[in-house]
Amino acid sequence: MYEIITLGQELRTYRTMSGLNQEEFADKLGVDRTTLSAWERNVALPRPAHVKELIKRGVVTKERARELIARAQTGYPVCLLYTSPSPRDS
């Protein structure tokens, strides 16, 4: 089984691993909590200025941000992670 990793999932993972709630993380990024929520749910993409802030804070690398946003805009899968069971397990 494959799982698609999106920019929203990466943002949520970073936020939760940092021990921040949406309000705290949104404040650090200079956006409203509802904006961050939309990003995490993949309903909206961050504007270029916000992408720069995400890169500056080490949330994503420049290359990864570019890849994630390009994939989100085109509708193609971003990254596939294989989760068990593996076909080789059969």
Side-chain angles (χ1 to χ4, degrees):
M1 178 173 172
Y2 292 95
E3 182 180 339
I4 297 173
I5 303 301
T6 64
L7 177 59
Q9 289 170 314
E10 289 210 11
L11 291 173
R12 185 177 310 123
T13 299
Y14 178 88
R15 176 179 59 77
T16 57
M17 290 184 76
S18 298
L20 300 171
N21 63 36
Q22 281 186 332
E23 190 74 40
E24 294 165 333
F25 192 39
D27 286 344
K28 289 183 180 292
L29 297 174
V31 298
D32 189 75
R33 185 201 57 78
T34 57
T35 300
L36 177 60
S37 176
W39 295 349
E40 288 186 356
R41 291 180 293 120
N42 299 299
V43 174
L45 291 172
R47 292 187 173 153
H50 296 126
V51 172
K52 287 179 184 177
E53 185 65 25
L54 293 169
I55 293 166
K56 183 175 122 184
R57 291 184 173 277
V59 177
V60 292
T61 64
K62 182 187 262 187
E63 295 77 23
R64 184 72 174 145
R66 201 176 295 143
E67 173 191 341
L68 290 167
I69 290 171
R71 299 293 172 113
Q73 289 172 336
T74 61
Y76 289 107
V78 176
C79 176
L80 296 176
L81 291 181
Y82 189 78
T83 57
S84 61
S86 168
R88 292 175 282 183
D89 294 341
S90 306

